[in-house]
Amino acid sequence: MDRPAVLLLTDDPNIARAIGMLLHDWGYDGCPADSGWHEAGNGRRVAGILVDLLVTGTTKALDAALALRKCLGGSVPILIQANEGCAHLPQALADRVSILPKPVDPSDVRAWLMSQSRC
């Protein structure tokens, strides 16, 4: 059985590795975000986009995630782990976007993924 992909948009290889291991344990494949077009193009289900950017604020992280989702051509859910706390999203941008303030408990990420698979 193919595991659903979760695209990782991060600028820290240690974070990518740690999140990737957790995702694997939870039944997903963590894939670098730049592989997103390949993952979507081969018919594989993309369960979500997980964003953890150290050098950008929440607004720039949201912009990057929305651009990736647009390239995927769908309404893939987005979770941003925010450095600057929870930001309020304009309603027009809030569709299937969640923001969690750091530090993020991994169980919250897992609960978010599971809730998205039921949508």
Side-chain angles (χ1 to χ4, degrees), residues 4 28 45 47 77 96 111-119:
Y28 299 89
R45 186 168 78 86
R96 302 203 69 192
W112 176 81
L113 280 167
M114 293 176 72
S115 73
Q116 298 307 310
S117 66
R118 288 191 281 268
C119 292

Side-chain angles (χ1 to χ4, degrees), residues 62-107:
L62 175 61
D63 291 344
L66 290 170
L68 177 59
R69 178 164 74 182
K70 183 177 180 180
C71 289
L72 291 171
S75 182
V76 177
I78 296 169
L79 175 64
I80 297 175
Q81 299 180 66
N83 289 321
E84 52 195 51
C86 282
H88 177 72
L89 293 172
Q91 186 59 37
L93 298 178
D95 182 41
R96 302 203 69 192
V97 177
S98 302
I99 298 178
L100 293 175
K102 287 184 180 181
V104 175
D105 186 318
S107 65

Side-chain angles (χ1 to χ4, degrees), residues 18-86:
I19 292 173
M21 288 188 297
L22 285 172
L23 290 168
H24 187 268
D25 288 348
W26 300 336
Y28 299 89
D29 280 338
C31 304
D34 59 4
S35 71
W37 299 274
H38 170 71
E39 296 301 330
N42 71 13
R44 186 171 188 195
R45 186 168 78 86
V46 176
I49 299 170
L50 185 57
V51 183
D52 189 324
L53 295 171
L54 298 175
V55 296
T56 63
T58 302
T59 302
K60 288 185 180 179
L62 175 61
D63 291 344
L66 290 170
L68 177 59
R69 178 164 74 182
K70 183 177 180 180
C71 289
L72 291 171
S75 182
V76 177
I78 296 169
L79 175 64
I80 297 175
Q81 299 180 66
N83 289 321
E84 52 195 51
C86 282

